[in-house]
Amino acid sequence: MRPLDITMSIIGTTLLVWLAAVIVRRRLHREYPFFFTYVAFSLLNTVALLSMSGNQVTYFYVYWVAQAFYAVLALLALHEAFHDVFYGFYSFRWFWTIFPGVVAIIFSVCTTHALLKPASGAPHLTTVILSLGTAVSYVQAGLFVIFLLLVAVLHVRWRRYPFDIALGFAIYTVGDWTALALSSGFGNKFPLIIRYASPVAYICATLV
């Protein structure tokens, strides 16, 4: 690993430990158990990957299986935040369909795209998990927009923790999209941005 890669990894892990400690100290793990599980899983996965860095095959499978867990936990954490903000509107039968409806529509579009244009040469498991991760990234961005729209329309009071959770996921998604867009559109013309857009976004999201 490059020195900058190691530095970014140390910063990200340190901030993640600090975030977990803050959540426990403020007893927020009781209010947001899925988000806390996401943070705890991130820490465990980081340690596991570091311990397997010398075995490329094991590292490959652990990494991609972990991405599937990340995707599921991210959705659960976002729904947790969404429900916390708009729980008063769940008495309306139509309202509870908003979150799963947005998820279902975006997943359908992403899955269709993945089936029509599968990644060439990639293992089937990797293709499935990549499609899942892409769908979740769109869901994260879409739900943050829905958060803002519903708050404006329904005049809901701004809630710090759930909105910061949604914003954090959205920031991380933007970092991934930036790296992917530059890589797809410009090749290797912006190697530093492509390499570090996602880690920097991850650090910013953790700070939020």
Side-chain angles (χ1 to χ4, degrees):
M1 295 179 66
R2 300 177 182 179
L4 186 54
D5 293 336
I6 297 174
T7 301
M8 298 287 278
S9 179
I10 292 174
I11 293 174
T13 303
T14 302
L15 288 175
L16 204 59
V17 171
W18 170 69
L19 174 59
V22 170
I23 292 174
V24 172
R25 189 181 67 215
R26 297 183 182 179
R27 299 182 179 180
L28 294 171
H29 57 290
R30 300 177 181 178
E31 190 173 354
Y32 304 103
F34 286 119
F35 179 66
F36 178 68
T37 301
Y38 181 94
V39 173
F41 179 77
S42 298
L43 285 171
L44 292 175
N45 185 56
T46 299
V47 174
L49 290 177
L50 288 174
S51 66
M52 299 173 186
S53 58
N55 189 326
Q56 294 184 356
V57 175
T58 304
Y59 185 97
F60 173 85
Y61 283 105
V62 171
Y63 176 84
W64 286 111
V65 170
Q67 297 309 303
F69 281 98
Y70 274 128
V72 173
L73 289 173
L75 286 179
L76 291 173
L78 284 168
H79 181 263
E80 198 170 55
F82 186 87
H83 184 272
D84 186 34
V85 174
F86 302 107
Y87 69 92
F89 295 91
Y90 272 73
S91 57
F92 299 102
R93 293 182 178 180
W94 57 269
F95 193 87
W96 71 268
T97 63
I98 293 179
F99 188 97
V102 171
V103 173
I105 291 172
I106 296 177
F107 260 95
S108 297
V109 172
C110 292
T111 301
T112 301
H113 182 269
L115 291 174
L116 294 176
K117 296 182 179 180
S120 59
H124 182 67
L125 176 61
T126 303
T127 301
V128 171
I129 296 176
L130 278 174
S131 301
L132 177 63
T134 301
V136 171
S137 70
Y138 279 100
V139 168
Q140 290 171 356
L143 286 175
F144 182 68
V145 174
I146 294 296
F147 261 68
L148 297 180
L149 290 176
L150 288 177
V151 166
V153 172
L154 301 176
H155 303 289
V156 177
R157 182 172 60 88
W158 185 269
R159 298 287 302 281
R160 177 186 175 188
Y161 293 130
F163 279 106
D164 284 353
I165 289 173
L167 177 59
F169 280 116
I171 290 172
Y172 185 45
T173 295
V174 169
D176 277 345
W177 285 357
T178 300
L180 181 61
L182 290 176
S183 178
S184 301
F186 299 95
N188 294 321
K189 292 183 179 180
F190 303 96
L192 286 178
I193 298 178
I194 293 172
R195 186 179 183 90
Y196 296 111
S198 184
V200 169
Y202 182 82
I203 291 173
C204 293
T206 307
L207 285 171
V208 169

